[in-house]
Amino acid sequence: MRTVAALLALAVSCSACEQDRAAVPPAERSGNRYTGKALLLSYGCVACHRIRGLPELSGQSGPPLERVAYQSYLAGLLPNTQANMERWIVHPRAISPGTAMPELGVSPAEARDMAAYLYQQVPP
Ligand code: HEC
């Protein structure tokens, strides 16, 4: 019983420290992550990226995004903020002309919702 309580305490404190280490803390996030989840699927982001809670496809030409909330930089170039995440999703090639990530015609509002999901991915 005591072990269970200790493990529970550990789990709770670790989820708190995960939140603390996020490059973009929950208070600085906006958008609807439920809409974002559906958009990530319909735009085919999962064809290149592994994202928690979404089906995994075979072609992994992009980096896994499961821990993107904890990275300091996006695409190795942009400081990780929600505004930069949205900019990247809307126009990756304006930021990095040679990138393999395509311009998919995502609107700024859609990018906001996608970013909300990417920063807080629902476990499968
Ligand atoms: C054809 C494959 C492909 C598709 C489709 C694609 N991406 Fe990417 N994405 C990439 C690649 C490759 C990179 C790495 C770019 C770089 O570092 O220059 C990347 C980088 C990213 C990053 C930064 C990741 C990091 O670790 O810094 C985000 C966020 C991202 N993509 C989101 C999306 C979203 C959202 C979609 C759907 C709208 C999408 N991607 C569709 C290939 C793709």
Side-chain angles (χ1 to χ4, degrees), residues 40 45 48-49 61 63 65 71 74-75 85 88-89 99 101-102 104:
L40 289 162
C45 312
C48 294
H49 294 289
S61 44
L65 298 180
Q71 292 176 200
L74 299 171
M85 165 87 81
W88 174 262
I89 294 171
T99 184
M101 176 149 158
L104 291 166

Side-chain angles (χ1 to χ4, degrees), residues 4-101:
V4 171
L7 283 175
L8 270 176
L10 198 65
V12 168
S13 64
C14 281
S15 69
C17 64
E18 283 269 297
Q19 293 290 328
D20 290 346
R21 280 189 285 122
V24 181
E28 291 172 24
R29 301 174 191 167
S30 62
N32 182 322
R33 70 187 166 110
Y34 299 100
T35 308
K37 184 178 188 182
L39 287 167
L40 289 162
L41 197 58
S42 67
Y43 272 97
C45 312
V46 288
C48 294
H49 294 289
R50 197 165 63 230
I51 301 170
R52 261 189 124 188
L54 289 174
E56 213 173 292
L57 303 181
S58 50
Q60 301 280 326
S61 44
L65 298 180
E66 289 153 326
R67 300 204 38 88
V68 75
Y70 304 97
Q71 292 176 200
S72 304
Y73 287 89
L74 299 171
L77 288 170
L78 301 169
N80 190 0
T81 63
Q82 179 152 357
N84 280 340
M85 165 87 81
E86 292 169 19
R87 278 177 61 208
W88 174 262
I89 294 171
V90 172
H91 284 309
R93 291 187 175 167
I95 294 159
S96 178
T99 184
M101 176 149 158

